[in-house]
């Protein structure tokens, strides 16, 4: 997959899907996995999202970057249909955010552990598969596939409470994958894990997108790990500062790392509002 070097605050072009079924539009491009236009979310006098617009191409890893309070989790909650925007539009896989018809095609891994500690690894995956409506005849096969994928097959009978924190995060990822979703929304999936497991997670993400044509959107405040994303979106105080490939953003800002790029963008944004 070729990463585009440019940086833009407008909708990015979609990407080729390789061996996936041919896209529908006549221009040969697939519709974006996520399309957000002028999204606003207010909590009383606090504006959590301020006219956010972005498109997420299918078959890519997109990182939503920004400090705590930037609006990342609020955006994820709106995309999942767990919160309603004050105004604006959000589409997932061509359906309105939260639409029942799209739910089975979306996997979600929250920041907090969302599996049952008193169940085994396999029991957790089976439970989530049933909740997602995976047919019984298919469920056993999917259990094996996702446990192999996250390297937990040998731990399948272990109760989750017996596992390390990193392995529990793998169980959460397996639960999000069991329904074979086209789109994964991951809220701080690497928070609190050691560097080795963080690197392993990114390998998982790229196997999902580059090898299987899935789309992965993840939030993180670890800016440097986002160099491994195909595209990133910088959020600050509910506003989009920039979108683009990591290399393009660093080139545009004249910086050597994403943290310095973010700080420069914040200063530019403040000057523009002054």
């Amino acid at each position: 997959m070729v990463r585009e070097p440019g940086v833009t605050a407008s909708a990015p072009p979609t990407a080729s899907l390789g061996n996936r079924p041919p896209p529908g539009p006549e221009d040969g491009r697939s519709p974006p996995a996520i399309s957000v236009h002028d999204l606003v979310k207010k909590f009383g006098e606090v504006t959590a999202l301020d006219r956010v617009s972005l498109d997420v191409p299918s078959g890519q890893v997109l990182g939503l970057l920004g400090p705590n309070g930037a609006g990342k989790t609020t955006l994820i909650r709106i995309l999942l249909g767990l919160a309603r925007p004050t105004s604006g539009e959000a589409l997932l896989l061509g359906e309105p955010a939260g639409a029942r018809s799209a739910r089975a095609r979306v996997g979600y891994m929250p920041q907090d552990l969302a599996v049952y500690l008193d169940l085994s690894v396999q029991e957790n995956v089976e439970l989530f598969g049933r909740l997602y409506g995976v047919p019984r005849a298919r469920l056993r096969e999917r259990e094996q596939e996702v446990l192999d994928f996250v390297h937990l097959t040998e731990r399948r009978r272990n109760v989750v409470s017996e596992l390390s924190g990193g392995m529990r995060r793998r169980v959460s990822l397996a639960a999000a994958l069991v329904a074979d979703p086209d789109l994964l929304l991951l809220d701080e999936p690497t928070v609190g894990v050691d560097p080795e497991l963080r690197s392993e997670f990114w390998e998982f993400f790229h196997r999902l997108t580059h090898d299987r044509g899935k789309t992965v959107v993840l939030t993180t405040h670890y800016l440097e790990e986002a160099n491994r994303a195909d595209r990133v979106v910088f959020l600050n105080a509910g506003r989009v500062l920039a979108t683009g490939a990591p290399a393009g953003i660093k080139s545009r800002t004249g910086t050597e790392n994403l943290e310095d790029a973010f700080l420069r963008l914040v200063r530019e944004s403040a000057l523009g509002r002054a």
Side-chain angles (χ1 to χ4, degrees):
M1 181 175 295
V2 178
R3 298 181 181 178
E4 63 177 26
V7 179
T8 178
S10 60
T14 53
S16 170
L17 298 184
N19 295 325
R20 298 186 73 189
E26 294 181 358
D27 64 0
R29 295 177 177 178
S30 68
I34 295 174
S35 186
V36 173
H37 299 287
D38 287 332
L39 205 64
V40 175
K41 179 61 178 177
K42 294 185 177 182
F43 297 97
E45 298 298 319
V46 177
T47 300
L49 295 175
D50 189 1
R51 299 189 67 184
V52 169
S53 293
L54 60 94
D55 282 351
V56 180
S58 298
Q60 291 193 4
V61 179
L62 180 116
L64 288 174
L65 312 183
N68 292 330
K72 304 186 302 295
T73 297
T74 299
L75 178 56
I76 292 290
R77 287 179 58 81
I78 290 174
L79 294 175
L80 288 167
L82 300 176
R84 292 186 177 182
T86 304
S87 62
E89 180 184 50
L91 300 176
L92 272 74
L93 305 170
E95 302 283 348
R100 185 179 299 273
S101 56
R103 289 178 186 173
R105 300 174 62 198
V106 179
Y108 173 51
M109 179 177 170
Q111 180 175 345
D112 297 325
L113 194 66
V115 293
Y116 293 91
L117 297 179
D118 56 343
L119 297 181
S120 70
V121 172
Q122 182 173 341
E123 288 169 338
N124 267 287
V125 175
E126 181 178 356
L127 173 61
F128 279 89
R130 290 181 176 179
L131 291 173
Y132 275 114
V134 179
R136 185 178 296 272
R138 170 73 167 138
L139 183 54
R140 191 63 65 187
E141 180 182 354
R142 282 300 299 162
E143 287 176 14
Q144 186 64 52
E145 288 174 355
V146 298
L147 292 178
D148 286 346
F149 185 79
V150 299
H151 303 159
L152 281 177
T153 300
E154 295 182 358
R155 297 279 189 166
R156 64 191 312 149
R157 301 191 186 281
N158 286 80
V159 176
V160 173
S161 61
E162 300 173 350
L163 302 178
S164 66
M167 286 190 177
R168 293 180 187 184
R169 301 294 286 175
R170 292 191 204 181
V171 179
S172 286
L173 181 58
L177 289 170
V178 67
D180 197 19
D182 295 314
L183 170 64
L184 271 175
L185 301 177
L186 312 177
D187 195 2
E188 300 281 0
T190 60
V191 68
V193 303
D194 60 67
E196 182 177 0
L197 181 57
R198 188 177 301 150
S199 178
E200 191 172 312
F201 266 34
W202 277 95
E203 291 177 8
F204 292 159
F205 303 153
H206 283 294
R207 285 166 58 194
L208 285 168
T209 56
H210 298 172
D211 298 344
R212 303 190 182 189
K214 309 298 186 182
T215 304
V216 175
V217 176
L218 61 92
T219 71
T220 182
H221 58 270
Y222 298 130
L223 298 187
E224 284 313 300
E225 74 170 347
N227 279 299
R228 301 183 66 174
D230 296 301
R231 296 182 64 83
V232 298
V233 175
F234 275 123
L235 281 173
N236 187 56
R239 297 181 177 182
V240 174
L241 298 180
T243 70
I249 287 181
K250 289 183 285 188
S251 175
R252 182 281 206 206
T253 55
T255 56
E256 296 183 355
N257 58 68
L258 288 178
E259 183 172 350
D260 288 343
F262 174 75
L263 293 174
R264 177 160 294 183
L265 290 165
V266 169
R267 289 194 295 268
E268 289 178 357
S269 177
L271 289 172
R273 295 196 303 270

